[in-house]
Amino acid sequence: MAEKKKTWKEIPIGGKIIEAGNAEKYNTGSWRTFRPEKNEKKCINCLFCWIYCPDSSIKVEDGKMIGFDYEHCKGCGICAAICPVKCIDMKKEVK
Amino acid sequence: MAMIEIRWHGRGGQGAKTASQFLGEAALDTGKYIQSFPEYGPERAGAPMKAFNRISEEPIYIHSSVTNPEIVVVIDPTLVIAIDVIGGLGDDGVLLVNTDKSPEDIRKATGFKKGKVGTVDATKIALETLKLPMPNMPMLGALLKVNSLVTIDQLSERVRGKFLKKIGEEKTNANLEGIKRAYNEVKIG
Amino acid sequence: MSKKIPLTGDQAVAYAMKQIEPDVVAAYPITPQTEIVMNFSSYVANGQISTELIPVESEHSAMSACVGAAAAGARTMTATSANGLALMWEIVYIAASTRLPIVMPVVNRALSGPINIHCDHSDTMGCRDSGWIQIYCENAQEVYENTILAIRIAEHKKILLPVMVCQDGFITSHAVEGVELFDDKKVKDFIGEYKIDNPLLDVDNPVTYGPLDLQDYYFEHKRQQGEAMKNALTVIPDVSKDFEKTFGTKYDFIEEYKLNDAEIAIVALSSTAGTVKFVVDELRAKGIKAGLLRPRIFRPFPKEKITKALKNIKAVAILDRSESFSAEGGPLYTDIKAALYDSGVKPLVSNYIYGLGGRDIFPADINKVYADLQDVVKAGKVKTALNYLGSRE
């Protein structure tokens, strides 16, 4: 993330953020040292992980947990800790 | 006309500020430059207070309180001996007092030797006309007798404009009557 | 020219606010500003204007509500004095740094303690570094006109900073003077419609106001604020020219009174400058070359104008109606002295702290200062730089 920062002439005045939702561009996925991985067979789609994830990084479709948003998942491990059937493992990140 | 400075002495609640304001406003109506302002302290009914006027043909720059008035108006008789009402009043100044005493008595009481002294029983006039002990409007009438800053009619028009909606026709007329009576009854000596 | 009507300084401000008819006013009454809020409230209550008046529970809330309203896209005003200003302090800075063009008449009053309700400039001088533009007015007419002028200054695209329009508590706020009022429509046309970029209520283009701003960008936002203040130095003359064309009154950063050929001069703000003019006239009649310099706008600080005006003056006394407690003199004094440092203009400068807590300043006091200045010229040096005028020694 060696992005060149803007000068005072290039940013909106007053500390305003005028581009809605631009936090999405912040790739917090790069912070991970452990990554969550799911054992498809064990998952019961209770969605506890979706509720507890502090970074909204659990992907859900049609009421089913379908995976992780690795762009934003920081690897905190809360999903793995909260999972009632222990279907999420925290694996060492390989970079 | 050079700038005229007036100092009003009254007690909180007697209407010295209102009198100074009405005079200023009436003079403004005639195209003069004016200031009207009280000396604000802790505002307490009955406490001695002062109000001031400046009236001039030229723009008024000065923003201090008045220390060397041409005219001093004392609305409350007891103030004559309670405080130094003639402080800064020049030898050709005018001292105007609401009292049942004579100008000579006032000269003796205040030690004001030169200039003019005017006396009028404004409280009595107010009680007879307005049925209230509010001597401020009669004192305005007496003031116009010693210095025709504005005419009685100009003042009356301003007073009518200020009072009519607030206190009604009857009381407004009583005030105007009080102004006229004091104008006619003031004794100059 | 319309007829003059009798108004106090506070009533004149309230009337200007009525004519401006802001979208939102959030205010809390405090002596000696109370009459502004009182009169303005009655205009709203009587249905004469459609401003949303928010009677808040404190000044902290007043300025907070103003920040919210201004960010939402509303033309917003408030008014305060002394301890009220102190209570809104935190949000005063936020209004400026969020670049919200709020206009706030301030009726100058001594900041407690000891508690006092009368005039000095300790309240607004205390927040001279808050990022607000500050205008100091001499009389009721000027405070009326500058409240209107301030709207255009605050909302100018190159400025977008809040403005304080200051007048002296009781001395002008509660004194009745003749004030000439402008036509409603002329005022409306002059101030125009309020439009800012990125209002919060534009739901089709959502924006965030007031996010955390740390080491990476905070400095750049402050740099922008500094630039806006610099812009104000070049933009205010344009807006003032437009004001003069519309209403007839010419306003500059400073007012010079008989300064052209003066040898000795006093620098003073607000109503005291009037009293100084009165004394200058008396001294001139005696052949003494006395003059006055009155800075009207203190923030941004009009350095060039001030140093140029003092170019040929031999001795200058700078009057401060507040103590900065630097032990080196008041805020007007230290700023002007700093401005003179690299200007090549080197008059003999002294400072007089005066009028604290409403202590009256009389022509006799001003005369004493001019007499001191004559001594300074004769001696060729300043004997006492820091003086207390009117304090019992």
Side-chain angles (χ1 to χ4, degrees), chain C residues 96-109:
Chain C
S97 60
T98 313
R99 308 293 298 278
L100 300 170
I102 298 161
V103 171
M104 173 163 70
V106 180
V107 185
N108 282 120
R109 162 186 150 180

Side-chain angles (χ1 to χ4, degrees), chain C residues 143-366:
Chain C
V143 78
Y144 165 72
E145 297 190 10
N146 279 273
T147 303
I148 294 162
L149 177 61
I151 296 283
R152 279 278 299 274
I153 293 172
E155 293 173 9
H156 194 284
K157 287 271 178 276
K158 283 186 159 169
I159 301 178
L160 286 169
L161 290 171
V163 180
M164 292 180 196
V165 184
C166 310
Q167 66 167 319
D168 283 349
F170 289 110
I171 300 166
T172 59
S173 73
H174 284 59
V176 177
E177 294 180 333
V179 179
E180 191 192 312
L181 301 172
F182 304 141
D183 176 61
D184 285 354
K185 189 178 177 305
K186 256 182 155 177
V187 173
K188 282 255 152 64
D189 289 348
F190 177 76
I191 60 172
E193 202 188 322
Y194 180 68
K195 270 193 207 137
I196 57 159
D197 293 335
N198 321 117
L200 267 180
L201 281 185
D202 180 0
V203 290
D204 295 328
N205 300 289
V207 292
T208 300
Y209 273 74
L212 189 66
D213 195 14
L214 299 179
Q215 296 96 322
D216 51 354
Y217 277 110
Y218 178 92
F219 199 168
E220 276 68 29
H221 287 122
K222 287 290 152 186
R223 176 76 180 75
Q224 289 177 332
Q225 264 182 272
E227 200 64 18
M229 268 296 176
K230 272 194 227 160
N231 288 348
L233 283 172
T234 56
V235 171
I236 289 172
D238 294 341
V239 180
S240 302
K241 215 172 276 169
D242 205 16
F243 187 91
E244 187 189 354
K245 239 192 287 168
T246 313
F247 300 113
T249 323
K250 188 179 171 148
Y251 285 113
D252 201 345
F253 287 95
I254 58 168
E255 185 197 354
E256 298 177 44
Y257 190 75
K258 305 195 176 171
L259 204 58
N260 239 346
D261 63 338
E263 286 174 357
I264 50 176
I266 282 178
V267 182
L269 300 173
S270 299
S271 72
T272 305
T275 306
V276 175
K277 286 177 192 170
F278 176 83
V279 174
V280 166
D281 285 349
E282 286 184 341
L283 292 175
R284 286 275 169 172
K286 290 183 208 161
I288 297 165
K289 289 189 168 173
L292 160 79
L293 169 64
R294 176 173 72 98
R296 282 187 55 254
I297 296 182
F298 183 63
R299 286 290 180 271
F301 187 73
K303 175 187 153 181
E304 304 292 334
K305 293 261 179 190
I306 287 176
T307 53
K308 198 172 156 221
L310 297 177
K311 203 172 57 191
N312 299 317
I313 310 292
K314 289 180 181 158
V316 183
I318 294 156
L319 271 54
D320 267 297
R321 203 165 195 151
S322 63
E323 241 297 20
S324 71
F325 297 112
S326 66
E328 280 297 326
L332 191 57
Y333 171 69
T334 46
D335 272 10
I336 290 179
K337 251 183 119 171
L340 291 170
Y341 182 80
D342 57 2
S343 71
V345 178
K346 295 275 186 290
L348 297 159
V349 191
S350 50
N351 187 209
Y352 290 80
I353 308 270
Y354 77 99
L356 302 189
R359 177 69 50 87
D360 208 346
I361 177 103
F362 295 104
D365 301 312
I366 305 295

Side-chain angles (χ1 to χ4, degrees), chain C residues 21 28 112 114 142 372:
Chain C
E21 196 176 356
Y28 190 84
S112 300
E142 196 179 325
D372 287 355

Side-chain angles (χ1 to χ4, degrees), chain B residues 110-161:
Chain B
T110 58
F112 186 54
K113 297 206 172 62
K114 294 177 182 162
K116 267 190 220 171
V117 174
T119 60
V120 62
D121 197 343
T123 304
K124 183 168 156 251
I125 292 173
L127 284 170
E128 287 173 8
T129 53
L130 188 63
K131 322 283 184 218
L132 285 170
M134 284 295 287
N136 61 340
M137 290 299 118
M139 287 312 283
L140 271 174
L143 172 62
L144 294 191
K145 186 71 169 224
V146 298
N147 192 317
S148 48
L149 289 155
V150 294
T151 66
I152 282 270
D153 286 347
Q154 286 163 338
L155 176 71
S156 299
E157 196 187 326
R158 183 39 84 164
V159 172
R160 175 171 283 279

Side-chain angles (χ1 to χ4, degrees), chain A residues 38-73:
Chain A
K38 187 175 80 151
N39 184 334
E40 291 290 348
K41 283 182 196 149
K42 282 196 197 167
C43 178
I44 55 170
N45 288 309
C46 66
L47 302 188
F48 270 30
C49 55
W50 176 77
I51 291 169
Y52 279 91
C53 175
D55 288 297
S56 306
S57 294
I58 305 294
K59 292 187 189 168
V60 173
E61 248 178 55
D62 299 330
K64 294 214 159 84
M65 194 298 197
I66 59 157
F68 302 94
D69 169 8
Y70 288 116
E71 288 289 297
H72 299 100
C73 166

Side-chain angles (χ1 to χ4, degrees), chain B residues 141-185:
Chain B
L143 172 62
L144 294 191
K145 186 71 169 224
V146 298
N147 192 317
S148 48
L149 289 155
V150 294
T151 66
I152 282 270
D153 286 347
Q154 286 163 338
L155 176 71
S156 299
E157 196 187 326
R158 183 39 84 164
V159 172
R160 175 171 283 279
K162 298 291 278 193
F163 272 158
L164 202 54
K165 242 171 135 181
K166 225 174 177 177
I167 61 173
E169 179 82 32
E170 196 186 332
K171 281 184 181 164
T172 301
N173 286 339
N175 270 301
L176 296 179
E177 173 63 18
I179 290 173
K180 263 184 213 129
R181 268 193 58 186
Y183 180 85
N184 292 323
E185 291 175 24

Side-chain angles (χ1 to χ4, degrees), chain B residues 32-94:
Chain B
K32 295 196 168 71
Y33 291 88
I34 63 117
Q35 282 180 351
S36 158
F37 56 104
E39 179 186 71
Y40 278 94
E43 291 161 61
R44 299 162 299 182
M49 60 81 68
K50 288 181 250 182
F52 308 99
N53 277 117
R54 286 194 180 93
I55 297 170
S56 171
E57 300 282 355
E58 304 291 326
I60 303 167
Y61 293 130
I62 186 169
H63 272 109
S64 323
S65 54
V66 171
T67 48
N68 296 99
E70 277 74 34
I71 304 168
V72 168
V73 188
V74 184
I75 290 187
D76 189 282
T78 63
L79 289 173
V80 169
I81 44 166
I83 56 171
D84 177 22
V85 292
I86 60 165
L89 186 61
D91 285 350
D92 48 1
V94 179

